[in-house]
Amino acid sequence: MHIRFIRTILFTLVMLSMSAASFAQIGISINFAPPELPVYEQPLCPGDGYLWTPGYWAYADDDYYWVPGTWVMAPQVGLLWTPAYWGWGGNGFVFYDGYWGPHVGFYGGISYGYGYFGEGYEGGRWDNGQFFYNRSVNNVSVTNIHNVYNTTVVNSTTVNRVSYNGGTGGISARPRPQEEAAAREKHIPAVAVQTQHAQAARTNPEQRASVNHGKPAVAATPKPGAFNDRAVVPAKAAGAPYTPPANRGAVQPAANTPAAHPENSAARPDKPAQPTTGPETNRAPAAQPPTRPETNRPEPAQRSQTPPPSERSQPQRTPPPAETKRPAQERQRPQPGAQKPEEKKQKDEQPKKDEKPPQ
């Protein structure tokens, strides 16, 4: 029992010593943007100590899929959730996973709603070991939860459904000083129930953008993994009409390659930005024109083995047997009984018209 307790303490210390950069970026780069955020209602908070984690588009198997927003029990008192987001990394869209920490860090300026309006979190706060919910942005029943307050949130950012930072049409937000400071704090990655929740969304065909066209049937759940619960909330509408591109299978680089930070976002202080550029051989086949070495190309001289008529007319002509040159002695030898003396004389005197000059 004592040894198990020590192991638990050591594991907790190791997890706390991990910085956000250790797990906050997934080394996958997609060459087309994720769909816009769907429109949906937040389900009722299931109980005290649950924090809202907004839904997001993830990517696998050549398609985006929607991970529903859900209420998650905070792994420790005092921790807040920094949502996942997509950002343009120079060569493609890079995914940055969410994490738990004492303060909310940078999440691309994405307006997820329900307290996450692009900067920080307005949905609640910790006070003396207890979480207080802001009812102005959260669906909380005062019958079950009494630690609530009401603070009107003035959203100064433009409200839209864009789900990524940087690139063409993306959010142009950059980390604030307090978000940069939050990046240097000790963080904890998504807990087991969150990972299982995302995996359940991945294996559900109806969550795929190519099937639901940006309007998932399960947009939010009351608890992680509760896809069949009566309180499941479907999307009311897609953020914008979505049609999957034809070349959606082009993914670069490999999934275990560190990805770069968005080009219009400051690099996280605890880890410098790394470009996603790599050898051309790592790019998708569709992005490279097929080429062959010059040595494999047939030369023009080899395409036709037959010389032109001007080169093959005279040297290859075989004179007929009657025109073949004979020795002088053989031409002058009289044939017995074939010619008369006077005929031979006339023949010797006339020029040989049929004989051609030597070539």
Side-chain angles (χ1 to χ4, degrees), residues 43 83 149 161 311:
Y149 65 96
R161 312 303 297 179
E311 298 178 4

Side-chain angles (χ1 to χ4, degrees), residues 157-183:
T157 61
T158 302
V159 178
N160 55 49
R161 312 303 297 179
V162 177
S163 61
Y164 59 93
N165 178 282
T168 303
I171 303 298
S172 59
R174 298 176 63 88
R176 300 174 299 166
Q178 52 267 44
E179 292 170 331
E180 293 178 347

Side-chain angles (χ1 to χ4, degrees), residues 135-225:
R135 290 192 63 203
S136 67
V137 295
N138 281 316
N139 186 7
V140 179
S141 173
V142 294
T143 302
N144 301 325
I145 301 175
H146 304 286
N147 41 312
V148 296
Y149 65 96
N150 283 280
T151 299
T152 302
V153 178
V154 179
N155 186 13
S156 59
T157 61
T158 302
V159 178
N160 55 49
R161 312 303 297 179
V162 177
S163 61
Y164 59 93
N165 178 282
T168 303
I171 303 298
S172 59
R174 298 176 63 88
R176 300 174 299 166
Q178 52 267 44
E179 292 170 331
E180 293 178 347
R184 294 188 290 267
E185 297 175 333
K186 303 299 186 296
H187 299 148
I188 294 178
V191 294
V193 292
Q194 291 176 282
T195 303
Q196 296 167 3
H197 180 73
Q199 182 63 24
R202 176 177 177 176
T203 57
N204 189 338
E206 295 183 355
Q207 298 301 108
R208 295 187 173 274
S210 61
V211 176
N212 57 49
H213 301 287
K215 183 183 176 182
V218 180
T221 64
K223 291 183 180 180

